[in-house]
Amino acid sequence: MSSPHSPSHEGHHDNHHLPTTTPPPPSPPSSLKTKRCKLSTTFSNWKGVKFIPFIISVSIGIIFNFAVPKPHQLSRKSWQLLSIFLTAISGLILSPLPVGAWAMFCLTLTVITKTLTFMQAFSAFTNEVIWLIVISFFFSKGFVKTGLGERVAMMFVKWLGKNTLGLSYGLVLSEAAISPAMPSTTARAGGIFLPIIKSLAEASDSFPKDESARKLGAYLIQSQLQSSSSSSALFLTAAAQNMLCFKLAEALVVEISNGWVTWLKGSCVPAIVNLLVTPFLVYKMFPPKIKCTPDAAVIAKQKLAQMGPLKREEWFMIATMLITVALWISGTALNISSVIAALLGLSLLLLLGVLDWNDCLSEKSAWDTLAWFGVLVGMASQLTALGVIQWLSGRVAHFLKSQSIGWFGSFFILQLAYFFVHYLFASQTAHVAALYSAFLEMHLASKVPGQLAAMALAYNTNLFGALTHYSSGQSAVYYGAGYVRLNDVFKLGIVMALINLITWGLIGLGWWKALHFY
């Protein structure tokens, strides 16, 4: 037996307790390192298409076109157009590119594949309603540039802003007051009301992304966002999507005479009820910590004093919008279309110097809307012309009939489906362009009265604007301010959505019955 100090034991000890060193792996050649670095830099700076959303969106269209059996009632061209349209809608949801860029890509597909001719593909760019929407962005620019929108809001705050609930009502009612002449809910939110809310909140030590947000700012944001659904639904010209709905209804031969007045008749009762109850309901469900706001009225008074009396440009803006709205109201009697009235209003603003041409050129949202609206509306129109929408609606109507569901039940099912599918969309106008025609045709195939179906879907389009933080332009603007947490947006959004549906479903239907909409 060897001693602990024998060489054999020492060797055994060394083998088990001394760390063994392994040679490092050979370094890659410097040229390979350089290539990897360049590749990594290239992808980190990539500004083109998002690959996974792109592949999914295009795959949906390809699979539908080649793997789904084509019904014998439809032509190969119509089935191919439907496939490209599904790719377009998938892209609206997944966003592989900005909306306008994606729309142009899909439009190019229709021409390259000879699904549509160049003239057919671009036919919607002369659509009157699309140009009416574009001009509405310029009107909104005028309200912001002259300060008239802010002045109106501050007047309501001065009158009603002595406590938090009154302050909220002042902001909500001022938006409703200017909405018929400022036809962009997003522009009202970002250009007028968010800056006012932020200044009022910060004056009360309520700051975004902070525990103090619940003092005042979070409540005012939530109340204004939820109420914007009703202010947008109150007037035909209060939101871009309203006018688009009417144009698509007209394409399906659903005539609505004297549109501006008919819209207001149908919306006034349920929308006003919602405007009156929404700030109070939000106040109870999402209460602010500050209940009294005596400083708000003082701030508004000081701001109005700083602004001074109405400037010349504000008077010109008021006069021009009064003329334009009067022509919208009486256009049928005078045989003047809405877009001609809007063009006249824009021309007056340019001639009077309220706007200059650079203001119009810099309004990127207007030109972006022209691009992608033209594409999607053009595709939807061609789908209707080729009989695809009629075929699809007929299948749905046949299913509902097979379940022994009458037109009234079909009306509720289709309206709810149209509402809740908006969880998939990041824009109200994109939702309209994609689905309004199809759902209206389903209503008609289910024997729902045409005017009721068209008007209800159009009003419904406004009600889901506050469903999520991405469901509309104004939602994104208000959520981006940082006062409201995401889970609160979703919770209050679904509760208020259900309240809106109940209000319009009960009060609205009763009112429309009295108006002989059905």
Side-chain angles (χ1 to χ4, degrees), residues 121 267 306 323:
S267 68
Q306 290 174 7
I323 292 169

Side-chain angles (χ1 to χ4, degrees), residues 12-80:
H12 181 76
H13 178 82
D14 289 343
N15 288 341
H16 281 274
H17 296 283
L18 289 178
T20 58
T21 57
T22 58
S27 300
S30 59
S31 60
L32 184 59
K33 283 183 178 179
T34 304
K35 286 180 181 178
R36 287 178 179 174
C37 183
K38 286 181 178 179
L39 188 63
S40 175
T41 304
T42 299
F43 279 98
S44 65
N45 294 330
W46 179 256
K47 295 180 180 179
V49 69
K50 298 174 186 173
F51 291 109
I52 293 177
F54 174 78
I55 292 169
I56 294 173
S57 300
V58 172
S59 298
I60 287 172
I62 292 173
I63 291 169
F64 184 85
N65 188 45
F66 294 104
V68 178
K70 180 186 74 66
H72 69 275
Q73 299 97 326
L74 298 179
S75 65
R76 169 49 56 186
K77 180 182 288 189
S78 64
W79 197 246
Q80 198 161 288

Side-chain angles (χ1 to χ4, degrees), residues 334-391:
L334 298 175
N335 197 25
I336 297 175
S337 67
S338 296
V339 70
I340 298 301
L343 282 170
L344 175 61
L346 176 61
S347 299
L348 286 173
L349 293 178
L350 291 169
L351 290 170
L352 294 170
V354 177
L355 294 175
D356 59 45
W357 189 238
N358 284 329
D359 291 324
C360 297
L361 291 176
S362 66
E363 196 63 27
K364 294 181 181 179
S365 297
W367 303 114
D368 185 50
T369 299
L370 173 65
W372 70 269
F373 255 40
V375 173
L376 290 177
V377 171
M379 283 193 195
S381 299
Q382 290 299 320
L383 286 171
T384 301
L386 291 170
V388 176
I389 301 298
Q390 187 177 6
W391 169 80

Side-chain angles (χ1 to χ4, degrees), residues 88 148 197 221 271 302 371 385 388 399 416 442:
L148 181 60
I197 289 172
I221 289 286
Q302 291 172 346
V388 176
F399 170 76
L416 288 173
M442 291 178 205

